[in-house]
C-alpha cells in the first residue's frame, strides 16, 4: 500500500448506525478513489494471501469495468464499502438546518436527524482499503491509468467504516469483508433477461418476444432455466434456453458479429449493432423453420398446441422441441459456419435425424425405458451428429469408444454418415 500522503479533502456525508458498526455514506470521484483507496490486502497479514487477492482482481473483470466506464453513458455503480484506519478522519455534523421555503418543511427536524448530516474530512495520511467492490475499484484504477477523459469525474457512493489495527479489529474487519462478499448475490438470469439494457442476448430475447411473431405469447415458456415445465404444450422452448441459444450464436458463429460473451453482456453496442444482432437471431430461427418441417408448422400455426403435443411428450418426439436438443443443433450449425454460410449450415444440419426414440438420441438424450430426457451426454451426442456430417473433432475410434460407453451398449455401431 502506498505511503504517500494525499491532500486533505472534505466529503459530504451521512452518518448512520447498523448493528455495532458506525458508518459514513459519502461521495468520492473516480480519480480520488483510484488514488486513495486500495485493495483489501490489510485484511490478511499473510502477504501471499494479499497477493492472491490482487492477482484475482487484475486478472478479473477490470478491463470490462473500465470499458463500461469509458463507453456507457448510462453507467452506474452501487456503493463501495471502504475501511479506514490511521490518520485522523473527522466527522463534522451540521448543528443547525433552517428552511428558506415558505412551506416550512424543515422546521421540525429533530436533533438526531440533523446530526446525521454533515461532512467527513480525510487529512490524507489515513489508509483506505475496499472491503466490498474490489472489482469495481480495479476497473476504476485501470480506467484512470488508461487516461479516462471526464470533466468532472463521475462520483461514486462510498460507505466508510472504521478499522482498528489490533487482533480483534482485524478479525472484525475480516468478518465484515467475508460477510459482504459471501452474501452478495449475482443478479438472476431471469432478471437479466427481463431488465438488462446492456446485455445483447437479453435485449435480443425481449425483441424476439415483443417485436417478432416467432415467440409471441405462449410460444415461449417464461422460465429462466432450461427446464421446460411438463404441462407446457404450446411453447418451443424457455426464455432461459433462448438466451443460451443466442449466446452460442453470437459468440461462436463465424460472422462479423462474433464477440466474447463478457463483451456482449457488459457493454451495450450501438443501436445499429443491436439491430444487426436481432436480425441475425431472427434469421437463424426463420432458417430453422424453412428447413425443419415440424418447426415450419410451429412458426406458421396460430394454435401451437397440436404440433407441440406431437413433437414433445412421453413418446419422445422431435429433439428440436427440447431445450437440450435446440442447444445441440445450434452448436452444430455454428460449427458448420466455419466452412459455409449460415443458410447453408442450417440446410446441412437439417439432413440429420431428429426422432428421439431412434439413434443416436436413444441412450444419449432419450431414455425410452423411463421416458425421460438425459442431460449428461451432450458432447458425445453433438459429436456423433457431426460425425454423420463428416465434421466431428474426434477420431472415429475415440467417438465409438465414447458412444458405446455412454449408451451402455458395447456392441453398438456409430450411425452411418449422411451423403
Amino acid at each position: 500500500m502506498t505511503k504517500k500522503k494525499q491532500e486533505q479533502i472534505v466529503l459530504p456525508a451521512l452518518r448512520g448506525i447498523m448493528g455495532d458498526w458506525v458508518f459514513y455514506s459519502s461521495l468520492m470521484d473516480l480519480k480520488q478513489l483510484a488514488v486513495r483507496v486500495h485493495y483489501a490486502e490489510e485484511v490478511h497479514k499473510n502477504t501471499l494471501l494479499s497477493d492472491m487477492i490482487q492477482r484475482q482482481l487484475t486478472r478479473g473483470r477490470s478491463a470490462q469495468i473500465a470499458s463500461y466506464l469509458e463507453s456507457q453513458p448510462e453507467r452506474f455503480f452501487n456503493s463501495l464499502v471502504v475501511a479506514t484506519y490511521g490518520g485522523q478522519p473527522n466527522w463534522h455534523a451540521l448543528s443547525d438546518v433552517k428552511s428558506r421555503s415558505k412551506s416550512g418543511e424543515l422546521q421540525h427536524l429533530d436533533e438526531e436527524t440533523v446530526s446525521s448530516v454533515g461532512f467527513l474530512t480525510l487529512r490524507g495520511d489515513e489508509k483506505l482499503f475496499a472491503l466490498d467492490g474490489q472489482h469495481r475499484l480495479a476497473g476504476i484504477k485501470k480506467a484512470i491509468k488508461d487516461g479516462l477523459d471526464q470533466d468532472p469525474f463521475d462520483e461514486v457512493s462510498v460507505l466508510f467504516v472504521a478499522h482498528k489495527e489490533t487482533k480483534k479489529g482485524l478479525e472484525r474487519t475480516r468478518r465484515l469483508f467475508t460477510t459482504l462478499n459471501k452474501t452478495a448475490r449475482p443478479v438472476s438470469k431471469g432478471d437479466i433477461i427481463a431488465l438488462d439494457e446492456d446485455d445483447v442476448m437479453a435485449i435480443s430475447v425481449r425483441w424476439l418476444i415483443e417485436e417478432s411473431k416467432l415467440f409471441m405469447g405462449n410460444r415461449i415458456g417464461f422460465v429462466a432455466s432450461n427446464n421446460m415445465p411438463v404441462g407446457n404444450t404450446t411453447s418451443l422452448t424457455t426464455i432461459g434456453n433462448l438466451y443460451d441459444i443466442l449466446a452460442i450464436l453470437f459468440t461462436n458463429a463465424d460472422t462479423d458479429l462474433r464477440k466474447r460473451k463478457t463483451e456482449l453482456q457488459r457493454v451495450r453496442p450501438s443501436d445499429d449493432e443491436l439491430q444487426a444482432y436481432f436480425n441475425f437471431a431472427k434469421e437463424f430461427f426463420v432458417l430453422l423453420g424453412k428447413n425443419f418441417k415440424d418447426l415450419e408448422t410451429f412458426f406458421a400455426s396460430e394454435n401451437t398446441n397440436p404440433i407441440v403435443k406431437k413433437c414433445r411428450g412421453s413418446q419422445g418426439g422431435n429433439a428440436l422441441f427440447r431445450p437440450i436438443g435446440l442447444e445441440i443443433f445450434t452448436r452444430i450449425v455454428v460449427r458448420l459456419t466455419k466452412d459455409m454460410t449460415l443458410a447453408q449450415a442450417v440446410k446441412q444440419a437439417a439432413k440429420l435425424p431428429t426422432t428421439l426414440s431412434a439413434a443416436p438420441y436413444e441412450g444419449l438424450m432419450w431414455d425410452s425405458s423411463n421416458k425421460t430426457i438425459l442431460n449428461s451426454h451432450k458432447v458425445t451426442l453433438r459429436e456423433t451428429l457431426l460425425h454423420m456430417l463428416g465434421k466431428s473433432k474426434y477420431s472415429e475410434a475415440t467417438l465409438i469408444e465414447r458412444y458405446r460407453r455412454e449408451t451402455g451398449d458395447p456392441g453398438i455401431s456409430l450411425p452411418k454418415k449422411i451423403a
Side-chain angles (χ1 to χ4, degrees):
M1 183 176 290
T2 181
K3 300 294 183 182
K4 181 181 177 182
K5 181 177 177 179
Q6 304 295 328
E7 293 181 358
Q8 177 173 301
I9 55 174
V10 181
L11 305 173
L14 297 173
R15 181 179 183 273
I17 299 174
M18 186 168 185
D20 59 1
W21 285 99
V22 177
F23 64 92
Y24 301 89
S25 177
S26 188
L27 298 173
M28 290 184 79
D29 69 36
L30 296 183
K31 191 170 184 180
Q32 290 173 335
L33 276 166
V35 172
R36 292 174 180 266
V37 182
H38 302 272
Y39 304 124
E41 58 194 52
E42 299 296 332
V43 171
H44 296 287
K45 289 184 176 180
N46 187 308
T47 56
L48 293 177
L49 286 173
S50 298
D51 290 344
M52 183 184 73
I53 291 173
Q54 190 152 345
R55 284 199 305 274
Q56 289 174 330
L57 291 167
T58 54
R59 292 175 185 172
R61 304 196 307 270
S62 60
Q64 287 81 24
I65 293 173
S67 176
Y68 172 78
L69 289 171
E70 293 160 3
S71 62
Q72 175 55 272
E74 297 178 4
R75 57 192 175 273
F76 190 80
F77 280 167
N78 54 351
S79 298
L80 280 73
V81 181
V82 172
T84 174
Y85 74 95
Q88 289 185 329
N90 279 314
W91 166 247
H92 307 273
L94 294 180
S95 59
D96 192 16
V97 176
K98 293 182 179 179
S99 174
R100 292 186 177 180
S101 68
K102 294 180 179 179
S103 63
E105 293 173 340
L106 303 181
Q107 283 182 356
H108 303 293
L109 292 176
D110 58 43
E111 184 178 340
E112 185 178 341
T113 301
V114 173
S115 64
S116 295
V117 181
F119 297 91
L120 186 67
T121 58
L122 297 177
R123 203 169 63 177
D125 55 350
E126 61 284 318
K127 296 178 182 178
L128 308 174
F129 56 92
L131 294 178
D132 188 45
Q134 292 197 106
H135 285 99
R136 279 166 280 154
L137 178 62
I140 290 168
K141 286 180 177 289
K142 177 170 173 50
I144 295 298
K145 184 179 178 181
D146 292 345
L148 181 65
D149 184 19
Q150 288 186 356
D151 185 19
F153 282 103
D154 287 345
E155 290 181 312
V156 176
S157 171
V158 180
L159 300 179
F160 289 101
V161 295
H163 165 70
K164 293 183 179 179
E165 204 172 8
T166 62
K167 182 180 179 181
K168 285 195 173 294
L170 183 62
E171 290 176 358
R172 174 178 163 85
T173 303
R174 189 158 54 229
R175 187 177 297 111
L176 179 59
F177 173 82
T178 54
T179 298
L180 288 169
N181 286 278
K182 279 195 300 187
T183 57
R185 300 245 177 172
V187 180
S188 72
K189 187 176 180 181
D191 288 342
I192 289 171
I193 294 170
L195 301 170
D196 201 302
E197 287 296 341
D198 298 316
D199 189 308
V200 175
M201 285 74 68
I203 295 169
S204 297
V205 166
R206 294 199 298 270
W207 287 3
L208 283 171
I209 295 169
E210 296 169 352
E211 307 295 335
S212 79
K213 293 182 179 179
L214 292 165
F215 294 104
M216 280 187 171
N218 58 11
R219 295 170 171 271
I220 188 78
F222 284 83
V223 180
S225 72
N226 286 341
N227 298 320
M228 178 67 75
V230 175
N232 186 305
T233 58
T234 60
S235 306
L236 176 63
T237 190
T238 69
I239 57 169
N241 181 241
L242 184 54
Y243 178 97
D244 292 343
I245 295 302
L246 298 190
I248 294 167
L249 275 178
F250 297 165
T251 61
N252 290 281
D254 195 4
T255 71
D256 292 339
L257 294 173
R258 184 170 61 184
K259 287 184 181 179
R260 290 179 299 176
K261 190 174 181 179
T262 52
E263 293 181 72
L264 294 170
Q265 288 175 318
R266 294 192 173 96
V267 181
R268 182 186 176 101
S270 67
D271 289 347
D272 288 343
E273 286 180 289
L274 274 176
Q275 187 65 46
Y277 281 108
F278 172 58
N279 291 342
F280 181 37
K282 190 163 61 172
E283 179 188 10
F284 175 66
F285 285 103
V286 168
L287 287 169
L288 288 180
K290 285 182 178 179
N291 288 276
F292 292 89
K293 187 175 181 181
D294 286 337
L295 287 181
E296 181 182 28
T297 302
F298 174 85
F299 289 127
S301 299
E302 291 293 328
N303 177 14
T304 58
N305 183 274
I307 185 64
V308 172
K309 281 188 172 180
K310 171 195 166 189
C311 294
R312 186 172 65 239
S314 59
Q315 78 282 8
N318 189 321
L320 287 163
F321 280 72
R322 306 282 183 161
I324 181 178
L326 198 54
E327 176 192 329
I328 288 170
F329 266 84
T330 303
R331 291 190 182 280
I332 289 170
V333 169
V334 299
R335 178 84 66 85
L336 295 174
T337 60
K338 297 180 186 296
D339 305 311
M340 57 191 75
T341 66
L342 180 67
Q344 291 169 333
V346 175
K347 186 175 181 180
Q348 188 74 357
K351 296 178 180 179
L352 293 168
T354 58
T355 303
L356 283 178
S357 56
Y361 302 97
E362 175 61 41
L364 291 181
M365 181 175 163
W366 180 247
D367 181 346
S368 57
S369 298
N370 296 306
K371 301 186 184 303
T372 56
I373 288 290
L374 303 171
N375 288 292
S376 304
H377 313 294
K378 290 194 289 186
V379 173
T380 298
L381 177 56
R382 182 192 71 218
E383 293 303 319
T384 302
L385 290 166
L386 282 165
H387 162 78
M388 296 173 71
L389 297 174
K391 297 290 184 179
S392 177
K393 65 181 180 181
Y394 292 143
S395 68
E396 194 162 318
T398 298
L399 190 58
I400 187 64
E401 190 276 328
R402 290 181 65 116
Y403 189 51
R404 287 173 175 172
R405 183 180 71 247
E406 295 185 32
T407 59
D409 185 346
I412 198 170
S413 299
L414 288 170
K416 292 181 179 180
K417 292 186 177 182
I418 295 170

